[in-house]
Amino acid sequence: MNKLIEVLKKNKKEVGLYLAIVLLGFLCIGPFFKFHMTPDSYLLINPKNDVYSRDMLGSVVNSISGRPLSDMFLFYVNMIGLNMMANQGLFNFLSIVILIIATILLYKTCEELTKNKTKSIWITGLASFLIIFNAFSFELFVYNVMTSLSIQYIIVIYAVRILLKELTIRNICISTILNMIGLCIYQGIGPLFIGLGMILLGYKYKNEPLIQNIKRYFIIGIIYGISCISNLILINITDTNRYESITLGEGIKRIFEAQQTIWIDSYGFFPKFFFWGIIVLFLAITFIYIIKKDKKNFWNMSICIVGAIVMTSIAALIPYIVSTVSIVPRTILTISTIPWLILLFMGINYIDINSMLRLLIGIIIGGYIFVLVNLSYRLVDAIVRINDYDKYIAGKVMRAIEEYELTNNIEVTKFSYCYDENYTWWIPNQPNVNIDCLGRALTVSWSWKDVIWHYYGKDFEIVPMDDDVYNTYIKGKDWSEFSEEQLIFVKDTLYMVSY
C-alpha cells in the first residue's frame, strides 16, 4: 500500500489527468444513458429483422456500406441476448470505457514520443481527450452504435504507433492492414489516421530535411489510400450498397455547398463561428510559436500542421464526390477533431507555453467542454421528444387497427406504406439541431412497422402498395398532420400514408 501511495505521489500530475479524463468522459456522455431511439434503433431493436438472420459470412457479404465488422458485432451481441438497442446503457458504458482507454493510449503515445512530463501534460492530455470525445461523433451515441466503433480509435492509434517505431516495409504493411480493419468498422473515423500520423511523425523527424518529411507524409497518404480502395472494393463486390453514384461535378458542388454548414454553423452543435473561431485562434498561436521557437524549421513545422488539417479535411469529404451519402456530422466526425489536432501539435512541440497562454487555452477548453455537455443534453432531449411524438402517432394507428378488427372481425396482419405529395421529416416545433437522425421514425420506410412493434407488440408482414388503393385514396393528396384518412384498410391489410 505504501509503495502504491509513493507511486501515486510521484506521478500525481498524470493520475490527476487520468481522473479528469474519466470524469469528463462520463460527464460528456452521461445524458445518453437516458433511453432513446432513433429511426434506425426501431429496426435494430426488433430481433425478428433481417439484420439478425445472418451468420458470420452473411454479415460480411450483406454488410451495408462496407462495414462488416460492425455488422458482425451487432449480430453476435444480439445472438447472446444482449440487443444493443435494448441494452444501450450497458453498451454506452462500454463505449465510454473504450474511448477513455483510447484517450490514455494517445496521450501515452505522445509522452513516449516526446519524453514530455513537464508543463504541457494537461494540454497534450486534454487535446487527446477532445480528439477522441469529439462533438460530431456524439451523434453516434444517439444511434447507440459507438461500442464497436470506439474500438477503431484504438486501431487508428496503433496504426500510427507502428510507424513511429520505424518506417520499414513491414511496419507500413502492418499499418495498412490495421487501417483496412478499421475502415471495416466505420469509415468516418479513418481520416484521423492522417492527422495523427502527420503530426506525430512530423514531430519525430522535424529536424530532418523537408523533402524527406514530405515523402513520409506521402507514405501516410498511400497507406490510407490503399485502405480506402480495399473498402471500396468490398462495397462494390456486394449488392447492398445503399448509395447512388453521382457525377464529379455534382459531388464537388454539394461539398462546396456544405462548407458553411460544417465550419460556420456546425449543424447547430455550437454557437455560430464558435468552431471556426477556435481553429483560427489555435492556428494563430501555433504560428507565433513556430516563428518564435522553430524559425529554422519553419517550413517543416508549417507544412506538418497545415498539411494535417488540409489532408484530414479532404479525406473526410472526398467520399461525397462520387456518392449520394449524406454529409452529416457522424460521417465527417474527424473534421471536429481539427482544433484539438492543432492543440496536440502545440502540446508536443512546445513544452514551455507561458502561464497566461495556458490560462487562455484552459478557458477555451473549459468553454468547449461546457458546450459538449450542453450538446449531449440537447441531443437526448430532442430525440426523447421525437420518441414521444412517434409513440403518440403509433398509438392512434393501433387504436384504429383495433377498432377495425373489432368491427369487421378481421385480424390485420399485413402492412403497406407510402408517402403523400410533400411528406415531413420533422416533428412540430422541431428542436434546433440540424441532423438527420432527429427525424420522425414514422417517416422512415425501414422503421415504421417496428415503431408499432416496439410500443404495442404487434408485428406485420410487409406487402407492396396496391395501385388501386394508391390511385383512389392517396395520389395527389398532401396532409400537414396525422389524420385517420391516412389509414386505408382492405381486408387484412393496412395501407398507411406518411404525411
Side-chain angles (χ1 to χ4, degrees):
M1 179 61 74
N2 290 334
K3 193 172 182 180
L4 176 61
I5 293 171
E6 192 176 318
V7 171
L8 292 175
K9 283 182 178 179
K10 189 177 178 181
N11 299 281
K12 60 183 180 181
K13 280 190 176 180
E14 277 200 337
V15 172
L17 176 64
Y18 297 159
L19 287 174
I21 288 170
V22 171
L23 291 173
L24 289 173
F26 279 94
L27 180 65
C28 289
I29 307 303
F32 292 99
F33 282 90
K34 185 172 184 178
F35 190 83
H36 57 278
M37 298 285 286
T38 66
D40 286 9
S41 299
Y42 290 105
L43 169 73
L44 296 172
I45 203 169
N46 188 344
K48 299 178 182 179
N49 281 325
D50 173 64
V51 70
Y52 300 122
S53 66
R54 306 167 186 164
D55 57 14
M56 181 173 179
L57 178 62
S59 293
V60 174
V61 173
N62 296 291
S63 176
I64 293 176
S65 301
R67 301 167 192 162
L69 296 181
S70 293
D71 288 353
M72 285 167 57
F73 181 84
L74 189 70
F75 171 79
Y76 282 109
V77 295
N78 187 75
M79 189 177 72
I80 63 173
L82 285 175
N83 182 281
M84 194 183 294
M85 304 303 131
N87 297 278
Q88 58 187 245
L90 169 65
F91 287 103
N92 281 345
F93 177 81
L94 292 174
S95 301
I96 296 171
V97 170
I98 296 169
L99 292 174
I100 287 170
I101 292 170
T103 300
I104 294 172
L105 178 63
L106 177 55
Y107 167 75
K108 293 299 289 184
T109 300
C110 296
E111 186 185 59
E112 291 165 10
L113 179 65
T114 62
K115 299 179 174 55
N116 170 28
K117 295 185 178 180
T118 53
K119 294 178 181 178
S120 65
I121 178 173
W122 282 90
I123 290 178
T124 306
L126 290 175
S128 300
F129 173 81
L130 291 169
I131 286 169
I132 304 300
F133 286 83
N134 79 83
F136 285 9
S137 69
F138 279 15
E139 189 186 7
L140 294 167
F141 278 98
V142 174
Y143 279 99
N144 311 125
V145 294
M146 268 302 286
T147 307
S148 59
L149 273 54
S150 58
I151 296 169
Q152 189 178 350
Y153 283 102
I154 296 176
I155 293 173
V156 167
I157 295 166
Y158 269 108
V160 174
R161 281 175 68 94
I162 196 73
L163 297 179
L164 289 172
K165 291 180 180 179
E166 194 177 356
L167 272 174
T168 61
I169 296 296
R170 176 182 176 274
N171 288 347
I172 289 170
C173 290
I174 293 172
S175 183
T176 304
I177 291 168
L178 287 172
N179 273 286
M180 288 178 178
I181 293 169
L183 293 179
C184 285
I185 297 175
Y186 190 65
Q187 296 95 330
I189 297 169
L192 182 59
F193 169 77
I194 295 177
L196 285 179
M198 290 186 68
I199 287 171
L200 297 182
L201 266 78
Y203 172 84
K204 182 173 181 179
Y205 299 106
K206 68 179 180 179
N207 294 314
E208 296 200 8
L210 176 61
I211 190 66
Q212 295 300 322
N213 279 332
I214 290 174
K215 288 178 181 177
R216 293 183 182 100
Y217 301 150
F218 184 74
I219 289 171
I220 291 170
I222 291 294
I223 290 171
Y224 187 69
I226 291 172
S227 306
C228 289
I229 290 169
S230 68
N231 191 260
L232 187 63
I233 291 170
L234 175 64
I235 292 173
N236 282 283
I237 62 175
T238 66
D239 59 357
T240 53
N241 184 17
R242 57 183 172 174
Y243 304 116
E244 297 176 6
S245 297
I246 55 176
T247 66
L248 184 62
E250 290 171 331
I252 292 172
K253 180 183 177 183
R254 66 195 292 260
I255 288 173
F256 273 104
E257 289 173 346
Q259 295 310 297
Q260 177 169 333
T261 302
I262 295 168
W263 301 99
I264 308 301
D265 303 330
S266 303
Y267 297 93
F269 282 19
F270 309 123
K272 206 162 188 174
F273 291 101
F274 179 78
F275 178 64
W276 181 247
I278 293 175
I279 293 174
V280 171
L281 180 60
F282 281 176
L283 266 179
I285 295 170
T286 298
F287 274 95
I288 289 170
Y289 266 86
I290 290 174
I291 293 168
K292 186 178 177 182
K293 302 286 185 180
D294 269 311
K295 201 168 185 178
K296 65 177 182 178
N297 287 326
F298 177 82
W299 289 110
N300 248 340
M301 304 293 280
S302 299
I303 287 174
C304 175
I305 187 58
V306 173
I309 293 168
V310 172
M311 296 309 296
T312 299
S313 302
I314 289 174
L317 291 168
I318 203 165
Y320 304 102
I321 290 180
V322 294
S323 173
T324 58
V325 58
S326 300
I327 305 177
V328 291
R330 63 186 180 274
T331 59
I332 55 168
L333 62 89
T334 49
I335 285 181
S336 72
T337 68
I338 285 173
W340 315 112
L341 288 171
I342 301 170
L343 190 62
L344 189 74
F345 177 89
M346 282 195 278
I348 64 176
N349 281 286
Y350 306 112
I351 65 173
D352 57 344
I353 294 174
N354 68 58
S355 57
M356 287 300 295
L357 192 52
R358 290 203 309 274
L359 177 62
L360 173 62
I361 291 171
I363 290 170
I364 293 170
I365 291 172
Y368 189 88
I369 289 173
F370 174 81
V371 171
L372 284 190
V373 175
N374 176 262
L375 171 63
S376 60
Y377 274 98
R378 286 166 58 210
L379 286 174
V380 174
D381 176 68
I383 201 163
V384 168
R385 286 169 57 190
I386 294 162
N387 292 166
D388 290 342
Y389 187 82
D390 280 328
K391 183 179 180 181
Y392 167 72
I393 299 299
K396 288 193 168 190
V397 173
M398 270 306 298
R399 283 191 291 275
I401 291 172
E402 289 168 353
E403 184 178 339
Y404 174 81
E405 289 178 333
L406 185 64
T407 303
N408 296 277
N409 197 28
I410 297 174
E411 182 183 2
V412 177
T413 59
K414 298 173 185 174
F415 206 122
S416 189
Y417 188 86
C418 70
Y419 300 103
D420 69 6
E421 288 292 298
N422 296 288
Y423 69 90
T424 305
W425 181 260
W426 312 111
I427 68 169
N429 302 313
Q430 176 71 18
N432 185 28
V433 185
N434 183 24
I435 49 178
D436 64 335
C437 67
L438 299 184
R440 295 189 296 129
L442 287 171
T443 304
V444 179
S445 60
W446 58 84
S447 66
W448 46 263
K449 83 177 187 69
D450 296 306
V451 176
I452 297 174
W453 176 86
H454 176 67
Y455 290 118
Y456 299 100
K458 187 171 182 63
D459 209 359
F460 299 94
E461 175 191 347
I462 303 172
V463 296
M465 174 59 62
D466 182 89
D467 289 341
D468 289 339
V469 169
Y470 181 82
N471 291 327
T472 304
Y473 299 101
I474 302 168
K475 186 177 180 180
K477 294 190 177 180
D478 184 24
W479 289 272
S480 58
E481 60 183 18
F482 179 78
S483 164
E484 290 199 7
E485 290 181 357
Q486 296 157 23
L487 307 176
I488 301 103
F489 293 96
V490 179
K491 298 181 180 178
D492 62 349
T493 305
L494 168 60
Y495 296 94
M496 182 175 172
V497 189
S498 178
Y499 67 90

